[in-house]
Amino acid sequence: MGMSIKKGDTVKILSGKDRGKQGTVLRAYPAEGKIKVEGVQMVKKAVRPNQQNQQGGIVSQEAKIDASNAMLVCPKCGAATRVGHKQGELDGKRTKIRVCKKCGHEF
Ligand SMILES: [Zn+2]
């Protein structure tokens, strides 16, 4: 599938009610091609009382969105950009490195 968005990335939302928003990826689901982004696609959910929330009730939480509806934001130049890929080393491991098409930053 080749999803290039990972947990901790900043992305810009391209469609839906949160179009134009930027947020941090809370979790990536590469097998499904989906991500959860902080503050994006909030849904209300009823929860039973538990340790953290002794009252129970309605909470807002992020729902998964298609990774194809989000674009990576380059951590260096801040452009929402399609990224290229190259083979390289990151943290001492051979891996696919993402390259910002705008500024050339590798991340
Ligand atoms: Zn860049």
Side-chain angles (χ1 to χ4, degrees):
M1 181 163 284
M3 189 170 101
S4 60
I5 296 173
K6 299 183 217 169
K7 182 182 173 183
D9 284 339
T10 301
V11 293
K12 184 171 186 178
I13 307 305
L14 302 176
S15 61
K17 67 182 165 85
D18 294 310
R19 187 177 167 183
K21 264 194 194 173
Q22 282 191 15
T24 304
V25 176
L26 300 173
R27 203 165 160 194
Y29 305 85
E32 301 169 59
K34 292 184 188 284
I35 53 175
K36 274 187 188 173
V37 182
E38 193 170 29
V40 169
Q41 197 67 19
M42 298 303 289
V43 291
K44 290 206 170 17
K45 197 180 168 188
V47 291
R48 293 170 190 278
N50 59 26
Q51 293 276 9
Q52 290 90 41
N53 183 349
Q54 301 195 344
Q55 301 282 315
I58 307 289
V59 295
S60 269
Q61 58 180 223
E62 288 86 357
K64 293 177 197 173
I65 61 166
D66 265 7
S68 60
N69 287 336
M71 197 176 248
L72 264 170
V73 173
C74 172
K76 190 168 181 199
C77 72
T81 177
R82 299 244 173 251
V83 292
H85 289 98
K86 70 177 210 179
Q87 213 49 237
E89 255 181 47
L90 199 66
D91 302 328
K93 275 186 275 184
R94 273 196 77 74
T95 183
K96 230 189 231 176
I97 292 179
R98 300 171 299 181
V99 184
C100 172
K101 292 213 163 154
K102 193 156 187 189
C103 74
H105 180 60
E106 298 176 359
F107 61 111

